Amino acid sequence: MDLPDDIKILLETAGVAETPDPATRGRIGWDEYFMRIAELVSERSTCLSRQVGSVLVRDRLILATGYNGAPSGIEHCPFCVRKLLDVPSGERHEICRGLHAEQNCLIQCARNGVSSADSTIYIFGGTPCIICAKMLINAGVAHVVCSEEYPDPLGPAFLGEAGVDIRVIKTNG
């Protein structure tokens, strides 16, 4: 086995004649790594019906995170109005007090002067709705990686039309 010089020197100095078998362990890939972080971020969600988390990444560095819930300084919902009115998921976003995880991620970039151009967003909780898709396109996000489908087919369709790479992955987390 071809070892790095520093390891050879250490083994020689220690008088180790026989090289042990190299340790092997499985490492998770980058997609799973960032998706699991997005899952952890989702645990901060204040939404009573759906917990979504997102992580915006460029060059394997985290730019921002976001989760869904009421805006800063606004009381969290005491109950879900959408559920009370039997509004299906993916419809009538305007009656919800909360922002989506993707929106909060982009807002965090804006507040901190961080460009989202050519980035990848990992979303634990579903593909973007049409509103978030429009925002992600105009923010220059190049790739969208999701943990599952969301019942709004317009979001993924818009992203595809704009040339934004979108895919759904399953993780082992």
Side-chain angles (χ1 to χ4, degrees):
M1 165 183 12
D2 193 27
L3 295 172
D5 289 340
D6 64 316
I7 294 178
K8 288 178 189 175
I9 293 168
L10 290 170
L11 291 174
E12 187 178 306
T13 304
V16 176
E18 201 169 310
T19 307
D21 287 335
T24 58
R25 68 175 177 93
R27 274 177 93 183
I28 62 173
W30 289 107
D31 282 344
E32 183 165 350
Y33 174 73
F34 290 120
M35 188 60 74
R36 286 169 64 181
I37 293 172
E39 180 178 10
L40 182 62
V41 171
S42 76
E43 293 181 24
R44 291 280 307 149
S45 170
T46 61
C47 181
L48 298 171
S49 86
R50 205 175 162 85
Q51 287 66 55
V52 180
S54 64
V55 178
L56 195 65
V57 176
R58 186 175 45 243
D59 299 326
R60 298 182 181 159
L61 297 173
I62 295 173
L63 305 175
T65 63
Y67 51 86
N68 59 329
S72 298
I74 302 292
E75 272 191 57
H76 303 307
C77 303
F79 54 86
C80 183
V81 173
R82 293 168 49 85
K83 280 188 177 178
L84 182 70
L85 300 176
D86 289 324
V87 176
S89 189
E91 297 179 16
R92 303 282 319 272
H93 299 285
E94 75 279 2
I95 64 172
C96 178
R97 291 174 65 92
L99 290 163
H100 288 185
E102 306 94 313
Q103 294 168 348
N104 275 324
C105 222
L106 294 175
I107 290 165
Q108 189 178 85
C109 280
R111 287 186 67 163
N112 293 310
V114 175
S115 172
S116 56
D118 298 318
S119 63
T120 299
I121 191 165
Y122 290 84
I123 307 166
F124 180 83
T127 50
C129 71
I130 185 64
I131 297 167
C132 289
K134 292 174 188 178
M135 294 175 74
L136 293 168
I137 291 165
N138 276 1
V141 174
H143 308 278
V144 176
V145 183
C146 307
S147 64
E148 62 188 78
E149 301 281 339
Y150 182 69
D152 182 352
L154 292 178
F158 246 60
L159 291 166
E161 183 179 338
V164 175
D165 172 53
I166 180 167
R167 56 198 167 93
V168 175
I169 65 167
K170 298 296 179 207
T171 62
N172 297 325

